[in-house]
Amino acid sequence: MEIKVNFLDKLRLEAKFDDFTVIADQPIRYKGDGSAPGPFDYFLASSALCAAYFVKLYCETRNIPTDNIRLSQNNIVDPENRYKQIFKIQVELPEDISAADRQGILRSIERCTVKRVVQTGPDFVIEEVENLDADAQALLTLNPDSAASTCIAGKDLPLEQTIANMSGVLAGLGIKIEIASWRNLVPNVWSLHIRDAHSPMCFTNGKGASKESALASALGEYIERLNCNHFYNDQFWGEDIAAAPFVHYPDERWFKPGRKDALPAGILDEYCLKIYNPDGELRGSHLYDTNSGNVQRGICSLPYVRQSDGAVVYFPSNLIDNLFLSNGMSAGNTLAEAQVQCLSEIFERAVKREILEGEMALPDVPHEVLAKYPGILAGIDALEKQGFPVLVKDASLGGEFPVMCVTLMNPRTGGVFASFGAHPSLEVALERSLTELLQGRSFEGLNDLPRPTFESNAVTEPNNFVEHFIDSSGVVSWRFFSAKADYEFVEWDFSGHGENSNAIEAASLFGILEGMGKEVYMAVYDQLGATACRILVPDYSEVYPVEDLIWDNTNKALAFRADILNLHRLDDASLEALLERLEDSELDDYSDIITLIGIEFDENTAWGQLTILELKLLINLALKQFEAAKEQVEAFLQYNENTVDRGLFYQALNVVLEVLLDDELELDDYVVNFRRMFGNPRMDAVLGSVDGSVRFFGLTPTSMKLEGLDRHQRLIDSYKKLHMARALQTEVGQMPKVG
C-alpha cells in the first residue's frame, strides 16, 4: 500500500492512503500541540486493533456475542534497550464461552497480521528519488531471476519474461502498481491482489500454482482490463474526454439515431439484431454511452471483426458494457495465447451457467486420473485436512467442452462453493478450478459461502448467475451433488502440441463455437504496447440478460447525472422536476447514487453513502415538503445503514418534523432538550435544514466539472494515461487493429 505524507503546520503530519486521511501530532512535552496521536501511538494501537479484529472474526463465524469480551494491550519497555519491548495482549472472556472456543479465540489472536509482520521483522529501504511517482514498479517486490526461464502450459514465453514485459508496459504508461496482498493457504495454490497506487479502484487478482504464475496472471488481467477500458465501464469520464476527437478508441464511429429514435443503420448486423432487438423495442437512445454522456454526438460504436467472413461490425460500447462485463477479454504474449484465454473463459462461464441453472449432476474425476497431477492433489489433500471436503468433477458435458470443476463443502456452516476452470488442457483447467477456489480467500472467508438448496427458483434466478460470475459465490442446487451423474466421465484433451500449440488450440475452440452455429466477433488492441483481444459471442457469452438494454441500462445515469452534481445550484422548479423523474423512474430507493450516476465518491463521505431515498428526502426538505420528508426519514431510520453521525442527524430531524407537523406542539418548547440530546452543531444543521438556511446537509457542492471529487478524479487520471497513449499511437500512424 502506498502512503503519501504531507507536512502540515508545526509538527503535525498528514498521511493519505486509499480514501483515508490520518493526522499525527506530538504531545505537548515534545513541542507538539497534542492534537492527534503520534506515529508510534498509531503503531501500538494497530496491533491491538488487529488482534481484536481476529477475535471478532472468530466469534462472528460461530455466532458468539462479543458484547462482554474485553481486550487490552500493554507494551513493556526493556529498561536497558527502549527498542526491545514486550507487547502483552490480554483478553477477558465471559464464563459461558466453552473451553474449545477460549482456545480458539487465543489462537485467532496469534494470527494477527500486525503481530506476524513485527515478529518476522520488516526490511526497510530508505532512499532518495527524483520523483515519487516515477518509480512505477517499485512495489512489485517479486523480481524473478532474469536468467531463469520457467515455462508453463498456455504461455508462449517464460514466466520471467512475461512478468518483465508486462511490468514494462505498465511502467511505460506511468502506472504505479502495488501488491496489496498475497495468499498461499495450501501447497501449489497462490493468489495475489494488485492495484494502481494512485487509483486503487483499478485492481485485479491473479492466481496460479506458483508466485510467478500468479503474478503473471494478475499483470495479464490488469493489462487486458486497461486495453478494454473495463476499469472505467460505468463511470463518467468528464467533459474534456467527452468532447475529445475520440472517447474510447481512435477507430470508434458515432451513429445518430434515425427518425422516432430508430436504431441507426450501420450498427450491429442482422444476426445480432435478431438477438438484441427481437421485438423491435430497442431504441437508439438506449445505446448512448454512459461514459461520455454526449448524446448530441450519437451512439459510440466499436469495430469488431466477424470471424466467419472477416466483415467489420460496429457494436455500441453501451451494449458491450451492459451485457458482457469482463467476459471474453484477455491479454497475452501473443494473439493466439490471448485468444485461447478469452475463449476458455467464455466456455467456462457458459458451461457453468448451463450446469448450475440446469441443476445437473457431474461425474467425479477418478482418483487414478487425479494422481497424474500430484501438485494439484497436494492442494486438495491440504483442504481436506483443514476439514473441507472437496469434490473434483468433470464439467466437459461428455467431452464436449474444456471445462473442469472443483467444489468445496464447509461442514461448519453448511455452505458450498463450486469453482470452474477452463483450458484446452485438462490439467490446466483443473489447476485453474482449484486456484480460482482460493483466490484472495482466507479460511475464514470460506465461512460466508451460501448453502445449497432444492429451490430451483433460487438457482435459476438471473442475479444468481451474476454472483457466480463475479466471485463464484452464488447458490448451488443440492441436485448438483447427486451421485447419479448426468454424463459419463471423459478424460478429454483439446490441447495443441509443438511450437504453435496456442494457435492450434485457438482454432479448436473457435471450431466448437462454429459447430454450435454461433457467430463470433473479435477486436484486437495492441496500441498500449501489449497484445490483448476481446471476443463477443452473442447469445452465449453475455453475463446480463438482453432485456437490461431496455429495462436496466446503465445510461439511465444520463437522466440524472448533471442535476445531481449541480444539486446546490438548482432552483425549486428544477428540484421539483428532478424529484418527479426520480419518482417516475421506479428505481430502487436503496440504490446508491454512486451506481446511478457513475461517479466514484469517497465512500467515507455523505455523497458516498447517499441513496436515492436519502436524495429524495433532502430534496423534499429543501422544498419544505415536510410531510413527504417525514415519511422518508422514517424509512431511512428503519432500513438504511449509514454512519452513526448521519443516523443521529436524521433522528434529530425526525423529532423536529414530528413537532412541526403537529398543530398542538410548539418547536420552541422542545429545542432546549433537543439540543441537550443531540448537541448544538447537529441541531443547528437540523433547524437550518428546516428553515432553509442549510440545504442538502453533508453534501459538499460539486458540478459536472467534478471539483472536490478526488477519488473520481484519480480514476479519470488513470484513464487519461490510456487515452493519451492511444492518441500518440494514432499520430504516428499506428491505428489499433480490429482483428
Side-chain angles (χ1 to χ4, degrees):
M1 178 172 66
E2 181 181 55
I3 303 171
K4 288 191 173 179
V5 178
N6 297 317
F7 296 92
L8 306 180
D9 59 296
K10 298 184 179 179
L11 296 181
R12 294 170 71 244
L13 303 167
E14 176 187 73
K16 285 182 168 289
F17 52 94
D18 293 346
D19 294 322
F20 299 100
T21 299
V22 174
I23 304 296
D25 199 353
Q26 291 292 332
I28 294 173
R29 66 181 181 276
Y30 294 141
K31 310 300 183 184
D33 290 335
S35 63
F40 188 64
D41 299 323
Y42 280 116
F43 166 67
L44 295 176
S46 70
S47 59
L49 290 169
C50 186
Y53 162 74
F54 278 94
V55 171
K56 184 77 171 176
L57 204 62
Y58 179 93
C59 291
E60 283 195 346
T61 58
R62 291 159 179 81
N63 295 316
I64 299 172
T66 55
D67 298 352
N68 296 317
I69 295 178
R70 301 170 66 202
L71 184 144
S72 72
Q73 172 185 296
N74 289 283
N75 63 309
I76 303 168
V77 183
D78 188 315
E80 297 182 0
N81 182 356
R82 67 190 181 102
Y83 300 113
K84 183 180 180 183
Q85 302 190 12
I86 297 172
F87 286 21
K88 180 179 284 187
I89 298 174
Q90 298 176 314
V91 59
E92 180 184 314
L93 301 173
E95 292 183 1
D96 58 353
I97 292 182
S98 69
D101 282 329
R102 289 171 184 272
Q103 288 301 312
I105 289 171
L106 295 178
R107 283 196 299 272
S108 73
I109 296 175
E110 287 289 339
R111 299 183 58 246
C112 166
T113 311
V114 175
K115 167 184 169 295
R116 290 192 170 191
V117 170
V118 172
Q119 285 179 322
T120 302
D123 293 327
F124 287 85
V125 177
I126 301 171
E127 61 186 9
E128 178 189 356
V129 296
E130 291 185 9
N131 184 334
L132 284 176
D133 298 317
D135 189 5
Q137 304 312 116
L139 300 182
L140 284 182
T141 56
L142 181 64
N143 295 308
D145 182 358
S146 58
S149 185
T150 307
C151 297
I152 64 171
K155 292 291 181 189
D156 283 330
L157 289 176
L159 289 175
E160 293 79 10
Q161 191 173 345
T162 300
I163 292 169
N165 291 347
M166 292 182 173
S167 298
V169 167
L170 294 172
L173 290 168
I175 294 172
K176 187 172 183 177
I177 292 292
E178 63 180 18
I179 297 178
S181 65
W182 282 98
R183 296 279 186 186
N184 177 221
L185 297 183
V186 299
N188 309 313
V189 178
W190 288 84
S191 69
L192 77 160
H193 178 86
I194 67 172
R195 62 188 187 181
D196 184 339
H198 179 66
S199 177
M201 300 82 78
C202 303
F203 66 86
T204 59
N205 300 300
K207 59 185 184 294
S210 67
K211 294 189 293 292
E212 291 78 12
S213 60
L215 178 55
S217 166
L219 291 171
E221 186 173 283
Y222 200 98
I223 287 173
E224 92 187 17
R225 295 185 178 203
L226 286 181
N227 275 280
C228 297
N229 292 342
H230 181 68
F231 290 133
Y232 323 97
N233 252 14
D234 302 328
Q235 281 79 22
F236 176 46
W237 295 351
E239 294 178 322
D240 291 344
I241 290 177
F246 69 91
V247 173
H248 294 257
Y249 300 98
D251 59 351
E252 68 194 22
R253 285 183 60 187
W254 295 74
F255 298 85
K256 293 287 185 71
R259 291 182 64 250
K260 298 183 178 180
D261 202 17
L263 295 182
I267 63 167
L268 304 174
D269 58 14
E270 289 302 319
Y271 178 87
C272 292
L273 287 169
K274 290 177 182 176
I275 294 169
Y276 299 124
N277 191 27
D279 303 317
E281 295 181 345
L282 188 65
R283 314 310 298 162
S285 56
H286 290 132
L287 299 176
Y288 291 134
D289 81 297
T290 309
N291 312 115
S292 72
N294 195 338
V295 298
Q296 290 76 25
R297 203 166 176 176
I299 298 168
C300 184
S301 300
L302 310 177
Y304 279 72
V305 169
R306 191 167 57 209
Q307 297 301 291
S308 61
D309 60 2
V312 174
V313 177
Y314 282 87
F315 280 76
S317 62
N318 170 290
L319 183 148
I320 298 170
D321 293 343
N322 270 283
L323 300 185
F324 291 92
L325 292 185
S326 65
N327 199 18
M329 60 174 69
S330 186
N333 293 297
T334 64
L335 177 57
E337 181 185 312
Q339 287 173 327
V340 169
Q341 178 65 15
C342 276
L343 294 167
S344 294
E345 286 188 355
I346 286 171
F347 282 123
E348 172 194 321
R349 282 138 183 183
V351 171
K352 177 180 186 176
R353 183 173 201 154
E354 184 177 350
I355 290 167
L356 295 177
E357 292 186 355
E359 300 181 272
M360 298 179 186
L362 301 179
D364 293 318
V365 177
H367 189 271
E368 58 269 21
V369 175
L370 283 179
K372 297 177 182 179
Y373 315 116
I376 295 172
L377 200 55
I380 292 170
D381 289 344
L383 283 171
E384 294 268 3
K385 288 175 182 175
Q386 288 286 335
F388 299 106
V390 176
L391 310 175
V392 183
K393 302 282 189 178
D394 169 24
S396 69
L397 304 186
E400 187 175 354
F401 301 102
V403 186
M404 296 295 289
C405 175
V406 174
T407 301
L408 177 142
M409 308 171 80
N410 188 344
R412 299 182 186 94
T413 63
V416 300
F417 182 10
S419 174
F420 289 72
H423 188 268
S425 162
L426 186 149
E427 179 182 7
V428 175
L430 184 54
E431 179 188 289
R432 288 181 176 175
S433 300
L434 180 60
T435 54
E436 174 71 24
L437 180 73
L438 295 176
Q439 179 172 274
R441 284 184 170 84
S442 62
F443 284 129
E444 287 81 10
L446 297 175
N447 290 322
D448 297 330
L449 305 178
R451 298 168 183 171
T453 179
F454 278 112
E455 293 292 329
S456 296
N457 289 340
V459 178
T460 58
E461 199 271 326
N463 278 338
N464 188 49
F465 175 66
V466 175
E467 293 296 323
H468 276 289
F469 176 84
I470 294 170
D471 62 3
S472 298
S473 63
V475 178
V476 178
S477 171
W478 266 119
R479 294 175 177 85
F480 176 83
F481 296 94
S482 172
K484 185 179 179 182
D486 292 308
Y487 292 89
E488 296 290 329
F489 168 75
V490 176
E491 191 172 358
W492 50 266
D493 183 12
F494 294 86
S495 58
H497 301 283
E499 195 172 313
N500 298 315
S501 59
N502 272 317
I504 295 168
E505 291 170 358
S508 175
L509 298 180
F510 277 123
I512 295 174
L513 291 169
E514 183 180 359
M516 297 169 65
K518 300 294 183 184
E519 284 282 10
V520 180
Y521 304 79
M522 181 174 68
V524 178
Y525 302 110
D526 60 4
Q527 71 272 31
L528 298 182
T531 300
C533 68
R534 185 164 197 170
I535 295 175
L536 310 177
V537 187
D539 197 30
Y540 192 68
S541 64
E542 295 90 351
V543 176
Y544 283 106
V546 171
E547 301 81 57
D548 279 8
L549 290 174
I550 296 173
W551 302 111
D552 194 22
N553 196 305
T554 57
N555 75 4
K556 58 182 176 285
L558 306 185
F560 304 105
R561 181 186 287 152
D563 277 353
I564 291 176
L565 289 175
N566 287 305
L567 192 63
H568 294 78
R569 298 174 178 83
L570 299 185
D571 58 23
D572 284 359
S574 299
L575 286 175
E576 287 274 15
L578 173 58
L579 187 60
E580 186 176 347
R581 289 201 306 279
L582 287 169
E583 294 288 359
D584 292 345
S585 69
E586 298 183 354
L587 292 166
D588 183 352
D589 271 350
Y590 297 97
S591 297
D592 58 71
I593 298 301
I594 289 177
T595 302
L596 175 62
I597 65 173
I599 298 292
E600 286 290 337
F601 297 108
D602 182 342
E603 293 177 356
N604 304 306
T605 64
W607 274 113
Q609 297 285 326
L610 189 67
T611 61
I612 291 173
L613 171 67
E614 188 179 358
L615 178 60
K616 290 178 182 177
L617 189 169
L618 291 171
I619 294 173
N620 277 316
L621 204 57
L623 295 171
K624 297 187 180 299
Q625 297 172 352
F626 294 148
E627 289 188 5
K630 178 72 166 61
E631 290 181 13
Q632 289 160 339
V633 169
E634 290 173 353
F636 179 94
L637 291 173
Q638 185 171 2
Y639 299 111
N640 205 306
E641 293 183 3
N642 209 301
T643 62
V644 172
D645 189 60
R646 199 75 174 159
L648 286 169
F649 168 78
Y650 283 115
Q651 284 185 48
L653 178 62
N654 191 44
V655 294
V656 167
L657 291 175
E658 186 82 44
V659 172
L660 287 175
L661 292 170
D662 191 323
D663 293 337
E664 298 181 1
L665 301 177
E666 291 292 334
L667 185 59
D668 288 344
D669 295 339
Y670 293 88
V671 167
V672 171
N673 281 321
F674 284 170
R675 287 185 177 279
R676 295 184 70 186
M677 171 67 80
F678 297 108
N680 284 327
R682 186 172 291 117
M683 282 305 302
D684 288 343
V686 168
L687 295 174
S689 298
V690 168
D691 67 27
S693 61
V694 175
R695 287 166 69 87
F696 311 111
F697 173 67
L699 303 182
T700 54
T702 185
S703 73
M704 289 288 281
K705 299 294 184 185
L706 308 174
E707 62 269 24
L709 304 183
D710 179 65
R711 179 179 171 89
H712 194 82
Q713 291 285 6
R714 282 183 281 147
L715 187 72
I716 294 176
D717 287 347
S718 173
Y719 181 66
K720 283 181 176 177
K721 294 172 184 175
L722 315 185
H723 198 267
M724 185 181 301
R726 289 170 180 145
L728 288 172
Q729 288 294 326
T730 304
E731 288 176 11
V732 298
Q734 297 183 22
M735 288 291 289
K737 301 179 181 65
V738 294

